[in-house]
Amino acid sequence: MTHPPMAPTTPLPIARETGELRAAITAWRAEGLRVGLVPTMGALHDGHLSLVRLALEKADRVVASVFVNPTQFGPTEDFAAYPREESSDATKLARAGANLLYTPAVETMYPEGFSTTVTVDGVSRGLCGDRRPGHFQGVATVVTKLLMRCLPDVAVFGEKDYQQLQVLKRLALDLDIPVEVLGAPIVRETDGLAMSSRNAYLSPEERDVAPTLNRTLRRVAADILGGADVSDCLEWGMGELLKGGFSSVDYLELRDATTLTPLDEAPEGEARLLVAAKLGKTRLIDNIAL
Ligand code: AMP
């Protein structure tokens, strides 16, 4: 059987300079349109595209940015190796309905003499904040710049990076940036593994082990909700991950869903169970609501 050819998609306009970005947004604003922003580091998958779709429900025009931000990678992390796939990213974004790809060069983002860093205290503490020193400063600084360059009505981030989402909500609130920061649910593979650009690093054997992360989270969450002791459940979960083939567990913690305060008892309000663990050299994160 032959399949009909896929409908051609109009190529997505690409802005590399801030002036081009601002000109497009100014034209939309002149028509009275609402603007959405979806910041990414590229190597796009369905998780990223779900953010574009959510942004399109909230805004008339959507800018997706692709910028592999050097300042959010630690010295031993994968900045150089991080996948860069501009042309397939542009095709995927066009199909998802984005209106503009903004992909600035590093020198445009951090020109000579750049000296400002945005630090969000509180929610940045612990979890990835402890394990990746400087990471959230890098994220907060680049997202502040993207928000100032775009001035969108709404900016969409994934719950996949749950602590990051809370950091960015706090940032917009504290700095009076007039943008609605929205979180989108985690998009998963059919076996439960959260989609991530870093999943491409996994060997076939590691890929087989990877769904244990989500399976363990779900089991620990169910046990906590069933009344089991929180610290026993967390200890059991970490043991399961190591037994299942993970090389190390950075953290498995129960936290308040908004303030990210650590919880050592079954929650009364909304809570989140968050995990980061290494599979060989690849660090995977996941989280679920309780
Ligand atoms: P990244 O390109 O990894 O920096 O991610 C860009 C945005 O996409 C962030 O807001 C992430 O939280 C979000 N994201 C990444 N993976 C997923 C996923 N599987 N489901 C939903 N959102 C995601």
Side-chain angles (χ1 to χ4, degrees), residues 39-41 45 47-48 51 157-158 160-161 164 185-187 195:
T40 81
M41 295 204 301
H45 49 66
H48 296 112
L51 310 188
F157 301 88
K160 157 90 188 331
D161 298 87
Q164 167 178 285
I186 301 176
V187 177
M195 288 190 183

Side-chain angles (χ1 to χ4, degrees), residues 118-129 135-141 143-144 147 157 161-175 181 257-260:
V118 180
T119 305
V120 180
D121 202 352
V123 281
S124 293
R125 295 217 184 141
L127 307 171
C128 289
H135 171 68
F136 286 123
Q137 283 190 339
V139 170
T141 305
V143 171
T144 303
L147 292 174
F157 301 88
D161 298 87
Y162 192 81
Q163 188 178 18
Q164 167 178 285
L165 173 63
Q166 302 314 316
V167 167
L168 298 174
K169 283 189 169 170
R170 192 71 244 174
L171 173 136
L173 204 64
D174 289 353
L175 296 184
V181 175
T258 310
T259 61
L260 296 185

Side-chain angles (χ1 to χ4, degrees), residues 53-122:
R53 289 187 203 102
L54 180 58
L56 281 165
E57 285 175 26
K58 306 281 173 182
D60 306 297
R61 295 288 182 270
V62 169
V63 177
S65 64
V66 171
F67 180 65
V68 185
N69 177 32
T71 67
Q72 70 188 70
F73 288 79
T76 59
E77 293 183 356
D78 55 342
F79 173 69
Y82 201 84
R84 285 151 171 96
E85 304 166 0
E86 182 177 303
S87 99
S88 69
D89 284 349
T91 307
K92 289 175 192 170
L93 288 170
R95 289 209 180 110
N99 303 95
L100 182 70
L101 166 57
Y102 176 50
T103 181
V106 174
E107 311 76 62
T108 315
M109 196 57 90
Y110 304 113
E112 177 105 18
F114 185 86
S115 316
T116 302
T117 301
V118 180
T119 305
V120 180
D121 202 352

Side-chain angles (χ1 to χ4, degrees), residues 8-277:
T9 353
T10 324
L12 190 66
I14 299 181
R16 297 184 199 279
E17 302 298 331
T18 312
E20 297 169 282
L21 170 76
R22 288 207 166 124
I25 291 173
T26 304
W28 294 334
R29 292 282 183 211
E31 291 181 63
L33 300 174
R34 278 172 60 83
V35 177
L37 172 68
V38 177
T40 81
M41 295 204 301
L44 302 179
H45 49 66
D46 282 348
H48 296 112
L49 302 180
S50 76
L51 310 188
V52 172
R53 289 187 203 102
L54 180 58
L56 281 165
E57 285 175 26
K58 306 281 173 182
D60 306 297
R61 295 288 182 270
V62 169
V63 177
S65 64
V66 171
F67 180 65
V68 185
N69 177 32
T71 67
Q72 70 188 70
F73 288 79
T76 59
E77 293 183 356
D78 55 342
F79 173 69
Y82 201 84
R84 285 151 171 96
E85 304 166 0
E86 182 177 303
S87 99
S88 69
D89 284 349
T91 307
K92 289 175 192 170
L93 288 170
R95 289 209 180 110
N99 303 95
L100 182 70
L101 166 57
Y102 176 50
T103 181
V106 174
E107 311 76 62
T108 315
M109 196 57 90
Y110 304 113
E112 177 105 18
F114 185 86
S115 316
T116 302
T117 301
V118 180
T119 305
V120 180
D121 202 352
V123 281
S124 293
R125 295 217 184 141
L127 307 171
C128 289
D130 275 4
R131 291 297 177 151
R132 303 183 70 189
H135 171 68
F136 286 123
Q137 283 190 339
V139 170
T141 305
V142 79
V143 171
T144 303
K145 286 175 68 73
L146 289 168
L147 292 174
M148 300 321 287
R149 286 178 175 193
C150 263
L151 297 173
D153 298 284
V154 57
V156 184
F157 301 88
E159 288 184 347
K160 157 90 188 331
D161 298 87
Y162 192 81
Q163 188 178 18
Q164 167 178 285
L165 173 63
Q166 302 314 316
V167 167
L168 298 174
K169 283 189 169 170
R170 192 71 244 174
L171 173 136
L173 204 64
D174 289 353
L175 296 184
D176 308 309
I177 303 177
V179 61
E180 186 186 0
V181 175
L182 273 185
I186 301 176
V187 177
R188 300 180 179 281
E189 305 288 355
T190 46
D191 59 12
L193 176 65
M195 288 190 183
S196 164
S197 309
R198 290 191 167 101
N199 292 349
Y201 298 156
L202 300 172
S203 69
E205 296 74 28
E206 290 168 344
R207 178 63 189 80
D208 286 345
V209 170
T212 310
L213 194 64
N214 184 248
R215 211 175 305 129
T216 305
L217 267 188
R218 282 188 282 128
R219 173 75 192 274
V220 170
D223 288 350
I224 291 174
L225 287 173
D229 180 79
V230 171
S231 60
D232 288 351
C233 292
L234 298 176
E235 205 170 310
W236 178 85
M238 288 197 259
E240 276 299 291
L241 292 173
L242 295 174
K243 258 197 307 187
F246 278 83
S247 35
S248 60
V249 181
D250 277 3
Y251 58 79
L252 171 61
E253 288 192 40
L254 183 66
R255 297 241 167 170
D256 178 273
T258 310
T259 61
L260 296 185
T261 313
L263 300 172
D264 49 19
E265 283 178 21
E268 280 170 22
E270 275 187 37
R272 207 87 189 178
L273 189 62
L274 304 105
V275 70

